[in-house]
Amino acid sequence: MTKAILTVDDSPSLRLVLREALTDAGHRVVEAEDGIAALEWLASNEPQLVITDITMPRLDGLALIEQLRRRDDMRDIPILVLTTESAPESKAKARAAGATGWIAKPFDPDKLNSAIRRVTH
């Protein structure tokens, strides 16, 4: 069985759009509504890739990325940030935390899947 892509976003509608775009491209998808839920799933699973929003309750995307990069088993897993924030300082913070790439919302499914292919192959 192929490893899942973990999507982390507090918006149910965005998780739905992501799930449709990713499953249409043949990916298996697991969803988490924030960083805490993501960490709970990641305690016993290893994803192919993590796609995370930045602004979320309980544990935001930057804190999630930082926590994952401190783990030996997550150090090399690609992490894409999917967010409405586009300020250069936000991108710099995400890179500094350990993000692999950045995708702006609203996203184009073809561009998203192209970015996934680039970071997972």
Side-chain angles (χ1 to χ4, degrees), residues 2-3 5-6 9 11 13 16-17 22 30 33 35 50 56 63 74 81 85 90 98-99 101 109 111-112:
T2 59
K3 291 181 181 176
I5 292 176
L6 174 61
D9 199 296
S11 165
S13 59
L16 174 64
V17 172
L22 296 171
V30 174
E33 69 273 2
V50 176
M56 297 179 289
M74 291 297 298
V81 173
E85 295 186 35
S90 295
K111 288 182 181 174
L112 173 66

Side-chain angles (χ1 to χ4, degrees), residues 51-76:
I51 301 174
T52 185
D53 187 15
I54 293 291
T55 308
M56 297 179 289
R58 297 200 309 162
L59 184 70
D60 71 21
L62 291 178
L64 173 64
I65 294 167
E66 288 169 353
Q67 287 194 32
L68 295 181
R69 290 306 188 214
R70 286 195 292 264
R71 291 175 40 178
D72 289 339
D73 64 331
M74 291 297 298
R75 196 160 286 138
D76 298 323

Side-chain angles (χ1 to χ4, degrees), residues 3-7 15-29 48-51 78 80-82 102-104 106-121:
K3 291 181 181 176
I5 292 176
L6 174 61
T7 61
R15 289 196 312 269
L16 174 64
V17 172
L18 262 175
R19 181 182 342 120
E20 289 177 352
L22 296 171
T23 56
D24 286 352
H27 298 288
R28 195 166 67 87
V29 178
Q48 172 188 13
L49 164 78
V50 176
I51 301 174
L80 295 177
V81 173
L82 179 64
W102 186 278
I103 300 167
F107 66 92
D108 173 274
D110 292 334
K111 288 182 181 174
L112 173 66
N113 283 299
S114 175
I116 290 169
R117 281 191 298 278
R118 272 197 310 277
V119 299
T120 58
H121 291 98

